[in-house]
Amino acid sequence: MFIIGILSLLLIKAILVRNESFTSTTHLTQLLKTEIALAKSLETHLKQEYERLDQIEKFVNVIKDEIRQAQSNEEYYFGNPVNSYLFIKHLTADWYNIEELLPTNFSKNLGDKWIFPSFEDYTGSATGLLRLQDTYKLNTSQLANGEISNKFKSKRLSALECYDLGRVAYTSGDFYHTLMWMQEALDHLDKEQNKTSINKIDILDHLAYATSQQGNVEHALAVTEELLKISPNHIRANNNKIYYETIIKNRTLSKQQRKGDT
Amino acid sequence: MFIIGILSLLLIKAILVRNESFTSTTHLTQLLKTEIALAKSLETHLKQEYERLDQIEKFVNVIKDEIRQAQSNEEYYFGNPVNSYLFIKHLTADWYNIEELLPTNFSKNLGDKWIFPSFEDYTGSATGLLRLQDTYKLNTSQLANGEISNKFKSKRLSALECYDLGRVAYTSGDFYHTLMWMQEALDHLDKEQNKTSINKIDILDHLAYATSQQGNVEHALAVTEELLKISPNHIRANNNKIYYETIIKNRTLSKQQRKGDT
């Protein structure tokens, strides 16, 4: 106990010496606030960075799996139009999203010797796939489930992949295919475990518009109402709902009028 | 079988249509090389980035633990000179290393309102600790093991932390403390599970030099020989070995000469 007593005394002196020599406890308490702020900022940085790397890693896993499959038999693999569409998509639309998560010098460091497909190659491959679908009357569901034939299997498309294909049709004003692929995206989304990749609202929004453009206003209204159940304040959907209801109402009125005329 | 046959035929046609429409299989094979190179570059990036984040995370865990302990009783915590030395070290020397792993705008985004200690505060707190050690004749091992007293406990210093303290003594030409703390670093390194944090060669290099500066050439030679066992081509160590051997040889000769003279 005596020794402990002496040591405690020494330490109290020690604190005094330390305080004189470089910094006071008040100063340290102030610096502790700096350390708390620093820890918080670093944790935010780590969280954002791990999310970023997670996205990149998912992309790497997709293309590594693709490389493995393609290398086993290139002719056979690329012979499947769904495979080659997805392949081009990975090196264009998907890669552009990943590129944004990388340092600006990353693509430069890759060098000039690697040829990348163009965005036109991507839309071209999508349009080609949709044309094939028509020409050979391929069922959208079967195509999306990779069941073109027993011989030519391909992977089951994700909801996002169906949506992206529908988006290409949509941007080229092809509402017939937009409708089919958005419906397929919806079906796949319902069955998917991880639903974070694509928002149901986005699918329904495109589906409603494409349906109305194809002339089925009643169905467009039903889809819009489904969208509003999820997102009641969706401005465009609310406006569209009124618009579709007006069309249906006017149609019913003119029908009744015609009936009344006869 | 008939249906499969037709579908296969359709797909062969499909391939032709696809080839005409946007890209040939040869082109896809070429693009596969791009994808392979891309996957490789991205994997390298991920590896480097995960290593970087791992270093930052380790630092965050250290300072979070420190914050938790300090906040429970600031006066008591900072009253321990080992704690306050380490605290200042984390916000200076260690933080400078972490800062290099962060985007350049990170520190700017922290804002001006946080006060950081200066590098002089760091060397000051180290020198203060060494002076305390002398004044109160505190045993280096006990200090390094956090056993200043039963009342004032602090964490056990890592080999790297002992080395860093020795480095401050070394850069200020204080070879007495360099020797003690490098010896302590060596002892801790031998007991540590994870020895990657500091290289044994660096410790031995400093230890040998400090020992020779304290006049113990025989021990300096022994330490240098231990270093050369690990790194036989270490240039400075090889030169020093010759130098120390010459000193010892000349000393022995002059002793013998003196004996002969008497």
Side-chain angles (χ1 to χ4, degrees):
Chain A
M1 276 307 287
F2 176 68
I3 292 172
I4 294 168
I6 287 184
L7 280 166
S8 300
L9 195 69
L10 289 179
L11 270 155
I12 292 159
K13 279 197 182 176
I15 295 162
L16 293 173
V17 173
R18 185 178 51 70
N19 284 355
E20 283 161 25
S21 64
F22 70 100
T23 187
S24 69
T25 304
T26 320
H27 186 44
L28 290 172
T29 303
Q30 193 60 38
L31 292 176
L32 187 61
K33 286 181 191 156
T34 300
E35 195 169 68
I36 294 166
L38 188 60
K40 211 173 158 187
S41 285
L42 287 171
E43 279 193 309
T44 307
H45 176 71
L46 285 174
K47 192 172 175 286
Q48 287 168 344
E49 284 295 88
Y50 279 127
E51 279 169 8
R52 180 178 74 84
L53 297 188
D54 187 56
Q55 281 189 65
I56 300 170
E57 197 164 358
K58 276 182 185 149
F59 177 73
V60 172
N61 288 338
V62 166
I63 65 170
K64 273 176 73 186
D65 189 50
E66 186 168 60
I67 289 163
R68 196 180 47 74
Q69 286 187 60
Q71 278 183 327
S72 70
N73 189 340
E74 290 184 21
E75 278 291 322
Y76 173 79
Y77 189 80
F78 291 128
N80 185 317
V82 176
N83 287 344
S84 53
Y85 159 70
L86 289 175
F87 175 69
I88 297 287
K89 179 175 181 284
H90 296 149
L91 287 178
T92 52
D94 294 348
W95 164 236
Y96 302 155
N97 289 333
I98 296 300
E99 206 176 3
E100 281 180 13
L101 306 175
L102 293 162
T104 41
N105 59 351
F106 186 88
S107 295
K108 269 188 195 165
N109 291 345
L110 268 179
D112 298 330
K113 72 170 183 169
W114 306 112
I115 303 155
F116 276 84
S118 67
F119 194 74
E120 285 67 37
D121 285 329
Y122 167 57
T123 51
S125 71
T127 314
L129 189 62
L130 299 177
R131 201 161 62 218
L132 273 181
Q133 196 188 347
D134 296 346
T135 313
Y136 302 107
K137 295 186 172 51
L138 301 171
N139 176 294
T140 310
S141 269
Q142 278 181 305
L143 207 56
N145 288 316
E147 300 159 357
I148 309 180
S149 79
N150 280 341
K151 256 187 122 177
F152 287 83
K153 293 255 180 218
S154 56
K155 65 163 280 213
R156 189 176 188 276
L157 298 186
S158 69
L160 179 61
E161 284 163 344
C162 293
Y163 171 83
D164 283 340
L165 202 48
R167 272 287 302 172
V168 176
Y170 177 84
T171 48
S172 66
D174 170 6
F175 300 114
Y176 169 69
H177 286 111
T178 307
L179 199 155
M180 291 199 284
W181 284 96
M182 288 299 169
Q183 186 58 56
E184 203 57 38
L186 210 60
D187 292 348
H188 283 226
L189 190 71
D190 287 338
K191 289 171 198 155
E192 266 172 22
Q193 292 289 320
N194 179 10
K195 298 187 182 188
T196 52
S197 60
I198 177 75
N199 195 322
K200 192 170 180 175
I201 295 166
D202 287 332
I203 304 176
L204 289 173
D205 196 17
H206 282 84
L207 187 60
Y209 186 76
T211 307
S212 78
Q213 288 295 309
Q214 286 292 102
N216 195 340
V217 185
E218 284 80 5
H219 190 220
L221 177 63
V223 175
T224 305
E225 281 168 344
E226 197 180 338
L227 193 163
L228 286 167
K229 268 185 207 161
I230 311 167
S231 173
N233 301 318
H234 195 288
I235 296 170
R236 190 171 50 253
N238 275 302
N239 290 337
N240 285 345
K241 186 176 183 280
I242 298 165
Y243 175 69
Y244 297 145
E245 282 170 343
T246 313
I247 292 178
I248 294 166
K249 198 179 160 190
N250 289 344
R251 218 188 261 168
T252 318
L253 279 176
S254 64
K255 250 187 207 170
Q256 284 172 342
Q257 246 173 359
R258 272 202 305 272
K259 270 189 185 170
D261 289 345
T262 54
Chain B
M1 278 305 290
F2 176 69
I3 291 170
I4 296 168
I6 286 183
L7 279 166
S8 302
L9 194 71
L10 289 181
L11 270 155
I12 292 161
K13 275 195 184 178
I15 296 161
L16 291 173
V17 172
R18 185 179 50 73
N19 285 356
E20 283 161 27
S21 65
F22 71 102
T23 187
S24 69
T25 305
T26 321
H27 185 46
L28 290 171
T29 303
Q30 193 61 37
L31 293 176
L32 186 61
K33 287 180 188 157
T34 300
E35 194 168 71
I36 293 165
L38 187 62
K40 213 175 155 184
S41 286
L42 287 172
E43 279 193 310
T44 307
H45 176 71
L46 284 175
K47 192 173 174 287
Q48 288 168 345
E49 285 294 89
Y50 279 125
E51 280 168 9
R52 179 178 73 84
L53 297 188
D54 188 56
Q55 282 187 68
I56 299 169
E57 197 165 358
K58 276 180 183 149
F59 176 73
V60 171
N61 290 337
V62 166
I63 63 170
K64 273 177 71 185
D65 188 51
E66 188 167 57
I67 290 164
R68 195 180 46 76
Q69 286 187 63
Q71 278 184 326
S72 70
N73 189 340
E74 289 183 24
E75 278 291 326
Y76 173 79
Y77 188 80
F78 290 128
N80 185 318
V82 176
N83 287 344
S84 54
Y85 158 69
L86 288 176
F87 174 69
I88 297 286
K89 180 176 181 283
H90 295 150
L91 287 179
T92 52
D94 294 348
W95 163 236
Y96 302 155
N97 289 332
I98 296 300
E99 206 176 3
E100 281 179 15
L101 305 175
L102 292 162
T104 42
N105 59 350
F106 187 88
S107 294
K108 270 189 195 164
N109 291 344
L110 269 179
D112 298 331
K113 72 170 183 169
W114 305 111
I115 302 156
F116 276 85
S118 68
F119 194 74
E120 286 66 35
D121 285 329
Y122 167 56
T123 51
S125 70
T127 314
L129 188 63
L130 300 176
R131 201 159 63 218
L132 273 182
Q133 196 187 349
D134 296 346
T135 313
Y136 303 105
K137 295 188 175 47
L138 300 172
N139 175 295
T140 310
S141 268
Q142 278 181 304
L143 206 55
N145 288 315
E147 299 158 357
I148 309 179
S149 79
N150 280 342
K151 255 186 125 179
F152 287 82
K153 293 258 179 216
S154 55
K155 65 163 279 214
R156 188 178 188 275
L157 299 186
S158 69
L160 178 62
E161 283 163 344
C162 293
Y163 171 84
D164 283 340
L165 202 48
R167 270 287 303 173
V168 176
Y170 176 85
T171 49
S172 66
D174 170 5
F175 300 114
Y176 169 68
H177 286 112
T178 307
L179 200 156
M180 290 200 284
W181 284 97
M182 287 299 168
Q183 186 59 56
E184 203 56 38
L186 210 59
D187 292 349
H188 282 226
L189 190 70
D190 287 339
K191 289 171 199 156
E192 265 172 23
Q193 292 288 320
N194 180 13
K195 299 186 182 189
T196 52
S197 59
I198 177 76
N199 195 323
K200 192 171 180 173
I201 295 166
D202 288 332
I203 303 177
L204 290 172
D205 195 17
H206 283 84
L207 186 61
Y209 186 77
T211 308
S212 78
Q213 288 294 310
Q214 287 294 101
N216 195 340
V217 184
E218 284 78 5
H219 190 221
L221 179 62
V223 174
T224 305
E225 281 167 346
E226 197 182 336
L227 193 163
L228 286 167
K229 269 185 207 160
I230 310 167
S231 174
N233 301 318
H234 196 287
I235 296 170
R236 189 172 51 253
N238 275 303
N239 289 338
N240 285 346
K241 187 177 183 280
I242 298 166
Y243 175 70
Y244 298 145
E245 281 170 343
T246 313
I247 293 177
I248 295 166
K249 199 179 158 190
N250 289 345
R251 218 187 262 169
T252 318
L253 277 175
S254 65
K255 253 188 203 171
Q256 283 171 343
Q257 247 174 357
R258 273 202 302 274
K259 270 188 186 171
D261 290 345
T262 54

